[in-house]
Amino acid sequence: MTGQQRKVRFAIIGAGMAGLLAAIKLKQRGENFTLFEKAAKLGGTWRENRYPGLTCDVPAHAYTYSFEPYAEWRAYYATGGEIQTYFEKVAEKYGVLPHFRFGCEVTGAVWDDAAAHWTLTLASGETFVADVVIAASGVLHHPKMPEIEGLDRFKGAAFHTARWDDSAPIDWAKVGLIGCGSTGIQIVTAINKRVERLVHFQRSPQWVMPVPQFEYTEAEREAFRKDPALIDAIRYNQDYINAVLRFTDGVTDIEGPQMREIEDICRQHLEDSIKDPVLKEKLRPNYRAACKRLIYSWCYYEEVQHPAVHVETGRIARVEPDGVRMTDGTFHPLDTLVLATGFRADRFIRPAVVKGQNGRSLDDFWARRPTAHYAVTLPGFPNFFMLNGPTGPVGNFSLIDIAERQWDYVMQLVDHVEGGNGRAIAPTQTAFADYEERRIDAAKKTIFGSGCTSWYLDDEGVPATWPWSYQAFADAMAKPRLEEYELIG
Ligand code: NAP
């Protein structure tokens, strides 16, 4: 660092896992920061999703901040409610809540070149000036409603899974469930024994990876409290790490032994678990395992065989006031219709209107696809850093680890600004263009591009993901390549 040291003002957008991480780290650095959250409490995805069966399919002890292990998990895989409690406790413990402004939706952020700062506009009309913006606004938070004729005329309750309606009849009711992603599958396992009948509308079957689930006893939790090394032994368990590496290596080496092993395990799981040959064929995917996000489940195949569950693989013609009509004329009378139809994964911080250098909008920059330099920074948008932004790693591993590594990368860039080397920092157009060209080329060759539909794909069918190994991501985040950046002002 050569220039004069200075402290900058930070604005964090979003109080989910990543925004909370940023707040804790900035507090520990003694920085000046304010966090804006549109909702009334923190938690992000764990606040918004409350559907029955909500579980995180990453082992609970691996789905925690590295600096804040948690002895209280009740089982190997935690429920959404427990995870929400974890984040609330962590926020209290680290004393960051006085910096949080709840009920404050950021609707705009405009960069001022002369002043080298951002002006944020809130939904209330209030403005706020910050030198650095941390966009931690999440990925899967804009529900995608299916375009099905007649949906608005359904007489019963019809709602998206991220807007769970507690008053809707489920117990001893006729329930329809559209969608077989991680969400739909988890709901089947949770409500199948409560309903009179559950019609699961399955457009595409899923590959299901069998995983263990077991409860921790109070004696085990007591042992975890006394000896965090026992928690580390689970978090860094070699079998778990091997499974993550098998997955992340297999994503890029799609004909390699790791991906074949994943497929073999899933296929055998189907063969061994489903008794009825008709149901077995309904549940057999016709695309490569892990092309869509793999389902990790310890009970789906058992629960889908419950007599109350009917897997409907026909095409939906329309929703009628009392149920769903299939194109072959079959009618399913329903009291409640649950839409597990996923999210608009291309939104990120939008609909907030973000304008960078020369008034260029993020909408314009992302006209073709949402993307970012190494998933974190954007050329022409100085001092604007994204956590869990576009083109980051996706799969069956902890996004907390991703965000922590991205945070280390961000802070090394901010160090140059606080060190007085320039008032702002952004990647060069050339470096970004090179990254994006290499990324797209590699992404097309990943398992995600092997011929299925999924929320990983952008409008042109290119996987919007990190296309290299997890180690390559860790290496990239460990030390930013400063020659790819320009200091401004
Ligand atoms: P999703 O994976 O995008 O799945 C959406 C489902 O809805 C698909 O089965 C899709 O069918 C179906 N669908 C969409 N529109 C439809 C229509 N018009 N008619 C019939 N079917 C329709 O969404 P998600 O299950 O909510 O999961 C999203 C992501 O959230 C996951 O991939 C994961 O990253 C995350 N998640 C994680 C966990 C966890 O435990 N960690 C739990 C839940 C969610 P097609 O496949 O045919 O398109």
Coordinates of all heavy atoms in Angstrom, one line a residue, residues 51 55-57 140 146 178-183 186 203-204 292-293 340-343 453 455, ligand 1:
Y51 N -41.8 -24.2 4.2 CA -42.6 -25.3 3.7 C -42.4 -26.6 4.6 O -41.2 -26.8 5.1 CB -42.4 -25.6 2.2 CG -41.0 -26.0 1.8 CD1 -40.5 -27.3 2.0 CD2 -40.2 -25.1 1.2 CE1 -39.3 -27.6 1.6 CE2 -38.9 -25.4 0.8 CZ -38.5 -26.7 1.0 OH -37.2 -27.0 0.6
T55 N -35.5 -28.8 4.8 CA -34.2 -29.3 5.4 C -33.1 -28.8 4.5 O -33.3 -28.7 3.3 CB -34.2 -30.9 5.3 OG1 -35.5 -31.3 5.8 CG2 -33.1 -31.4 6.2
C56 N -31.9 -28.6 5.1 CA -30.8 -28.3 4.2 C -30.0 -29.6 3.9 O -29.7 -30.3 4.8 CB -29.8 -27.3 4.9 SG -28.4 -26.9 4.0
D57 N -29.8 -29.9 2.6 CA -29.2 -31.1 2.3 C -27.7 -31.1 2.3 O -27.0 -31.9 1.7 CB -29.7 -31.6 0.9 CG -29.4 -30.7 -0.2 OD1 -28.6 -29.8 0.0 OD2 -29.9 -31.0 -1.3
L140 N -32.0 -17.3 -5.1 CA -33.3 -17.9 -5.3 C -34.3 -17.3 -4.4 O -34.7 -17.8 -3.4 CB -33.2 -19.4 -5.1 CG -32.2 -20.1 -6.0 CD1 -32.1 -21.6 -5.6 CD2 -32.5 -20.0 -7.5
P146 N -45.8 -20.8 -12.4 CA -46.0 -21.5 -13.7 C -47.0 -20.8 -14.5 O -48.0 -20.3 -14.0 CB -46.4 -22.9 -13.3 CG -47.1 -22.7 -12.0 CD -46.4 -21.6 -11.3
I178 N -47.0 -29.3 -7.7 CA -46.4 -29.2 -9.1 C -44.9 -28.9 -8.8 O -44.5 -27.9 -8.2 CB -47.0 -28.1 -9.9 CG1 -48.5 -28.4 -10.1 CG2 -46.3 -28.0 -11.3 CD1 -49.2 -27.3 -10.9
G179 N -44.0 -29.7 -9.4 CA -42.6 -29.5 -9.3 C -41.8 -30.5 -8.5 O -42.3 -31.0 -7.4
C180 N -40.7 -31.0 -9.1 CA -39.9 -32.1 -8.5 C -38.5 -31.7 -8.3 O -37.6 -32.5 -8.4 CB -39.9 -33.3 -9.4 SG -41.5 -33.9 -9.7
G181 N -38.2 -30.4 -8.0 CA -36.9 -30.0 -7.5 C -36.7 -30.4 -6.1 O -37.5 -31.1 -5.5
S182 N -35.6 -29.9 -5.5 CA -35.4 -30.3 -4.1 C -36.6 -29.9 -3.2 O -36.9 -30.7 -2.3 CB -34.1 -29.5 -3.6 OG -33.0 -29.7 -4.4
T183 N -37.2 -28.8 -3.5 CA -38.3 -28.4 -2.7 C -39.5 -29.3 -2.8 O -40.0 -29.8 -1.8 CB -38.8 -27.0 -3.2 OG1 -37.7 -26.1 -3.1 CG2 -39.9 -26.4 -2.3
Q186 N -38.9 -32.7 -1.1 CA -38.9 -32.6 0.4 C -40.3 -32.5 0.9 O -40.7 -33.1 1.9 CB -38.1 -31.4 0.9 CG -36.6 -31.6 0.7 CD -35.7 -30.4 1.3 OE1 -36.2 -29.3 1.6 NE2 -34.4 -30.6 1.4
R203 N -43.0 -33.2 -14.1 CA -42.7 -33.0 -15.5 C -41.4 -33.8 -15.9 O -41.3 -34.4 -16.9 CB -42.6 -31.5 -15.8 CG -42.5 -31.2 -17.3 CD -42.8 -29.7 -17.5 NE -41.7 -28.9 -17.0 CZ -41.7 -27.5 -17.1 NH1 -42.8 -26.9 -17.7 NH2 -40.8 -26.8 -16.6
S204 N -40.4 -33.7 -15.0 CA -39.2 -34.5 -15.2 C -38.8 -35.2 -13.9 O -38.8 -34.6 -12.8 CB -38.0 -33.5 -15.5 OG -38.4 -32.5 -16.4
K292 N -29.4 -31.7 -13.6 CA -30.2 -30.9 -12.7 C -29.5 -31.0 -11.3 O -28.8 -32.0 -11.1 CB -31.6 -31.4 -12.6 CG -32.5 -31.2 -13.8 CD -33.8 -31.9 -13.5 CE -34.7 -32.0 -14.8 NZ -35.3 -30.7 -15.2
R293 N -29.9 -30.2 -10.4 CA -29.3 -30.3 -9.0 C -29.7 -31.7 -8.5 O -30.9 -32.0 -8.4 CB -29.8 -29.2 -8.1 CG -29.1 -29.2 -6.8 CD -29.5 -28.0 -6.0 NE -28.7 -27.8 -4.8 CZ -28.9 -28.4 -3.6 NH1 -29.9 -29.2 -3.5 NH2 -28.1 -28.1 -2.6
A340 N -44.3 -25.8 -6.4 CA -42.9 -26.0 -6.1 C -42.1 -25.8 -7.4 O -41.3 -26.6 -7.8 CB -42.6 -27.3 -5.5
T341 N -42.4 -24.6 -8.1 CA -41.9 -24.5 -9.4 C -40.7 -23.6 -9.6 O -40.3 -23.2 -10.6 CB -43.1 -23.8 -10.3 OG1 -43.7 -22.8 -9.5 CG2 -44.1 -24.9 -10.6
G342 N -40.0 -23.4 -8.4 CA -38.6 -22.8 -8.5 C -38.7 -21.3 -8.5 O -39.7 -20.7 -8.2
F343 N -37.5 -20.8 -8.9 CA -37.3 -19.4 -8.8 C -36.7 -18.8 -10.1 O -36.1 -19.5 -10.9 CB -36.3 -19.1 -7.6 CG -36.8 -19.6 -6.3 CD1 -36.7 -20.9 -5.9 CD2 -37.5 -18.7 -5.5 CE1 -37.2 -21.4 -4.7 CE2 -38.0 -19.2 -4.3 CZ -37.9 -20.5 -3.9
T453 N -33.1 -29.6 -18.6 CA -33.5 -28.2 -18.2 C -33.2 -28.0 -16.8 O -33.2 -29.0 -16.0 CB -35.0 -28.0 -18.4 OG1 -35.7 -29.0 -17.7 CG2 -35.4 -28.1 -19.9
W455 N -32.5 -24.6 -13.5 CA -32.4 -23.2 -13.3 C -30.9 -22.8 -13.4 O -30.6 -21.6 -13.3 CB -32.9 -22.8 -11.9 CG -32.3 -23.4 -10.7 CD1 -32.6 -24.5 -10.0 CD2 -31.1 -22.9 -10.0 NE1 -31.8 -24.7 -9.0 CE2 -30.9 -23.7 -8.9 CE3 -30.3 -21.7 -10.2 CZ2 -29.8 -23.5 -8.0 CZ3 -29.3 -21.5 -9.3 CH2 -29.0 -22.4 -8.2
Ligands
NAP1 P1 -36.3 -26.2 -9.1 O1 -35.2 -27.0 -8.8 O2 -36.1 -25.1 -10.1 O3 -37.5 -27.1 -9.6 C1 -38.7 -26.6 -10.1 C2 -39.6 -27.8 -10.5 O4 -40.8 -27.3 -11.0 C3 -39.0 -28.7 -11.6 O5 -39.4 -30.0 -11.3 C4 -39.8 -28.2 -12.8 O6 -39.9 -29.2 -13.8 C5 -41.1 -27.9 -12.2 N1 -41.9 -27.0 -13.0 C6 -41.7 -25.6 -13.2 N2 -42.6 -25.1 -14.0 C7 -43.5 -26.1 -14.3 C8 -44.7 -26.2 -15.0 N3 -45.2 -25.1 -15.6 N4 -45.3 -27.4 -15.0 C9 -44.8 -28.5 -14.4 N5 -43.7 -28.5 -13.7 C10 -43.0 -27.3 -13.6 O7 -36.9 -25.4 -7.8 P2 -36.8 -25.9 -6.3 O8 -37.2 -27.3 -6.1 O9 -37.5 -24.8 -5.5 O10 -35.3 -25.8 -6.0 C11 -34.5 -24.7 -6.4 C12 -33.2 -24.8 -5.8 O11 -33.3 -24.4 -4.4 C13 -32.5 -26.1 -5.7 O12 -32.0 -26.6 -6.9 C14 -31.5 -25.9 -4.6 O13 -30.4 -25.2 -5.2 C15 -32.3 -25.0 -3.7 N6 -32.9 -25.8 -2.6 C16 -32.0 -26.4 -1.8 C17 -32.5 -27.2 -0.8 C18 -31.5 -27.8 0.2 O14 -31.9 -28.8 0.8 N7 -30.3 -27.4 0.2 C19 -33.9 -27.4 -0.6 C20 -34.7 -26.8 -1.5 C21 -34.2 -26.0 -2.5 P3 -38.7 -29.4 -14.9 O15 -37.6 -30.1 -14.2 O16 -39.3 -30.3 -15.9 O17 -38.3 -28.0 -15.5

